[in-house]
Each structure stands twice: as C-alpha cells, then as structure tokens.
Amino acid sequence: MCSMKNILVSIVLINILQLETYLCANLNSKIIMEDAQEKYKFLITAGYRPKIDNLAKYVVSLRGKKYRRVFGDDHYCGGSIISPKVILTAAHCVCRGDNRIELRPFRPSDILAVAGTPRRLVVTEKTQALKVDKVICHAYFDPKTFHNDIALLLLIKNIYEDGVSAQRISLQTSSLPPHTKCTVLGWGRIFEYGPKPDLILHTNVYIMPNEFCKERDDDFFFGMMCATDEDDFEKDSCFGDSGGPLICNGSVAGIVSFGNGCGVPDEAGYYTNVSSYRDWIRKNGLDKLRPVNFILLIVLQICITES
C-alpha cells in the first residue's frame, strides 16, 4: 500500500506536469497565431466584407447536385446572373477535356446554381437552388491555355429577382482603360490552400495594361485581361472564385479564369474579358430566350384580337 507521503508527492508532480503542459500549449498557440498574423491577412485573398453589400445579389454559387455533409460544402465555382435564366461563368468550371477535340460540357443534372444569398453554408429565406437545363461552352476553349474561358448555363426555371437578394447584372460592352478600379467577389479560399468562407468576400483590384499581363504569362491571348493591386499583391482571387465576376462601374467586365497561385508578389489574376465575347453571349445565351418570348407575344396578340 502506498504511504500518504508518496501520494502527496505524486499529486504535486502531476500538478507540475499539468501546469507545464498548459504553459507550453499557451506559448505554442501564441507563436502559431503570431506567425499566422505575420504570414496571412485572412482576408477572397486579402478581401473584405462591406457593411452594405450591393454586389452579392449578382453572384451565384455553382455546386454539385448533392452536398457531402453540410449544405454548401460542394461549392466549387461562381457565376454571374445576366438574365433570369442565364448564368455567365468560366468554361473550365463546367467543361472537361484535355484539348479542344475532347472538350465536352458537364451534365446539366450534375450542376446546381444557388442564388439569392451571400451565405455559402446557410439556407436563408432568400436562398434559391436552381437546376440547369443546358451547358454551353465556348467551342474553342482550350483547357491548357485558358483561351476562350467562357460558358453559359441555361436554367430550367427563372431566378426570382427582387433587386435585393438576387438581380441580373449588365455586361460591359467595351474594353476598360488600364488602372480602372474593379471588385472581384466570391467564396474562394481566403489564402492559398486555406479554407473557404461562409459569407462572400470582396476585394478591389485594378485592370493592368496588356504589356504587364503579357510579361507574366506567355499565353496571354485575345479576350483576356489581368488585374491586381500593385500596392498590395495579396488582393487576388483564389481557388473557388473561378467563374465569378470582376465588376467594374456596375457591370460584369471579367470572369475569374486563372492565376499563378493566390496573392503572389508581382503577379496578377487573369480574367476573361466579357466585352470581347458580348456577341457570343447574346447569340448563345440571351438570343436563345427570345423565340419563346416572341411566340408568347404572338399568342397574346391573338387573344387580344379575338376578345
């Protein structure tokens, strides 16, 4: 049987070990947090959340047909509402293939577009989960170079636009001059290999001259643009922001396409220049809706005449 003295010594030693463990854990935690604050701003990359968000209503979250564990954990890309039935996104988000010959769109039934909310993981009163009827990829999209990285999703049902939680956005019709200030937003990683946010993040970047873009990417091509903030390179789109909008002067001017990492010094994010594809968008998306509207107009005129 242990003596009282031995029991007391054991209790003292255990308390000393617990105290040492506690102090070490606190010290390591402090070091980790200081290191994290030094390396990362935890802000899309280096983003912010505005007090009044007037831009999230234009954006949708693209997801798989069924989440894995919790609602929104299957988010993989973004998109822009350009009509109640048409979503503008990047081709690499909804097309697969190693080259142009093998390129084929995802099955519409495998994609869900979620609109009406800035929250990724929470179902709100305004959340709209919409099924896709047709996927239209640019015929000359090249997955290796990201040339012509643009696609459209035609929805089965219209998005309900209330002007607050969901709203269509206009297309930029002409190329913007260098150094135009724009905003990119989405649910992409908050830093490279980091987590994705629940609440959508914004960051402000500036369109750069073509020479700047060409110097940093040999495959810079017609229909591309790049943007960054030369005073704060951490402002950038990241994985999961692809397909989302670059909004300039109230219109969607770019589609998040690719980049060399996230927030890398002396680099930039690359975007599909929407103004270069406005005719393609009208022909493959907006114009496809007009015949239905035209037929409805004829039916309405007949009904009015007969009455």
Side-chain angles (χ1 to χ4, degrees), residues 145-146 175-184 203-230 233 235-237 245-248 253-261 264 266-277:
T145 62
F146 289 90
S175 294
L176 295 167
H179 308 296
T180 299
K181 184 179 180 179
C182 304
T183 301
V184 58
T203 196
N204 298 326
V205 290
Y206 299 85
I207 294 175
M208 303 307 294
N210 287 341
E211 294 73 21
F212 179 98
C213 305
K214 290 176 183 176
E215 286 175 3
R216 286 154 183 79
D217 191 277
D218 294 335
D219 286 319
F220 187 75
F221 181 70
F222 165 82
M224 288 182 176
M225 58 196 294
C226 75
T228 187
D229 184 338
E230 292 184 285
F233 63 84
K235 293 181 178 179
D236 194 9
S237 53
L246 178 71
I247 298 174
C248 313
I255 303 167
V256 179
S257 183
F258 69 96
N260 298 313
V264 177
D266 200 35
E267 290 289 348
Y270 285 78
Y271 302 80
T272 303
N273 189 338
V274 169
S275 66
S276 301
Y277 295 93

Side-chain angles (χ1 to χ4, degrees), residues 6-7 28 32 41 43 59 70 72 93 95 104-105 136 146 155 179 185 190 218 228 237 239 246 296 305:
N6 289 338
I7 292 173
N28 287 337
I32 290 168
K41 291 189 178 178
L43 296 169
V59 189
V70 297
C93 289
C95 305
R104 58 193 184 279
I136 302 172
F146 289 90
L155 305 175
H179 308 296
L185 63 162
I190 58 177
D218 294 335
T228 187
S237 53
F239 309 109
L246 178 71
L296 289 175
T305 303

Side-chain angles (χ1 to χ4, degrees), residues 24-291:
C24 287
N26 270 0
L27 178 60
N28 287 337
S29 176
K30 185 178 180 182
I31 291 171
I32 290 168
M33 287 309 298
E34 286 177 351
D35 183 58
Q37 289 170 1
E38 180 69 25
K39 287 184 178 179
Y40 313 116
K41 291 189 178 178
F42 290 102
L43 296 169
I44 203 160
T45 298
Y48 64 93
R49 295 184 177 102
K51 290 182 179 179
I52 300 175
D53 190 341
N54 293 317
L55 300 181
K57 62 185 178 183
Y58 301 125
V59 189
V60 301
S61 165
L62 298 186
R63 309 175 179 188
K65 59 184 177 182
K66 185 173 176 58
Y67 57 81
R68 292 179 286 277
R69 293 187 178 179
V70 297
F71 180 80
D73 65 6
D74 53 348
H75 165 88
Y76 69 93
C77 271
S80 304
I81 304 169
I82 60 171
S83 101
K85 233 172 186 177
V86 182
I87 302 298
L88 177 68
T89 188
H92 77 265
C93 289
V94 293
C95 305
R96 60 170 66 89
D98 295 328
N99 55 55
R100 204 167 60 209
I101 296 174
E102 298 176 359
L103 185 68
R104 58 193 184 279
F106 289 11
R107 290 184 300 180
S109 59
D110 288 340
I111 306 170
L112 195 67
V114 177
T117 176
R119 303 290 299 273
R120 178 173 66 92
L121 301 173
V122 178
V123 179
T124 71
E125 294 178 349
K126 302 291 187 178
T127 300
Q128 301 181 55
L130 302 129
K131 294 181 179 180
V132 176
D133 180 48
K134 189 173 184 181
V135 180
I136 302 172
C137 303
H138 196 288
Y140 295 100
F141 166 59
D142 187 336
K144 293 182 179 179
T145 62
F146 289 90
H147 294 174
N148 304 302
D149 191 12
I150 187 170
L152 297 170
L153 302 179
L154 305 187
L155 305 175
I156 292 176
K157 294 182 179 179
N158 283 8
I159 294 173
Y160 173 69
E161 298 177 274
D162 61 6
V164 178
S165 64
Q167 182 67 46
R168 78 190 76 183
I169 187 169
S170 61
L171 302 174
Q172 179 64 37
T173 56
S174 59
S175 294
L176 295 167
H179 308 296
T180 299
K181 184 179 180 179
C182 304
T183 301
V184 58
L185 63 162
W187 293 274
R189 299 189 184 279
I190 58 177
F191 56 90
E192 193 162 359
Y193 306 117
K196 298 173 185 175
D198 169 41
L199 188 60
I200 197 168
L201 283 168
H202 304 53
T203 196
N204 298 326
V205 290
Y206 299 85
I207 294 175
M208 303 307 294
N210 287 341
E211 294 73 21
F212 179 98
C213 305
K214 290 176 183 176
E215 286 175 3
R216 286 154 183 79
D217 191 277
D218 294 335
D219 286 319
F220 187 75
F221 181 70
F222 165 82
M224 288 182 176
M225 58 196 294
C226 75
T228 187
D229 184 338
E230 292 184 285
D231 295 325
D232 189 350
F233 63 84
E234 288 189 342
K235 293 181 178 179
D236 194 9
S237 53
C238 200
F239 309 109
D241 293 317
S242 290
L246 178 71
I247 298 174
C248 313
N249 302 327
S251 298
V252 56
I255 303 167
V256 179
S257 183
F258 69 96
N260 298 313
C262 306
V264 177
D266 200 35
E267 290 289 348
Y270 285 78
Y271 302 80
T272 303
N273 189 338
V274 169
S275 66
S276 301
Y277 295 93
R278 60 187 183 276
D279 291 338
W280 182 88
I281 294 170
R282 291 193 182 99
K283 179 181 177 182
N284 291 278
L286 303 181
D287 283 354
K288 285 183 178 295
L289 305 179
R290 288 177 185 170

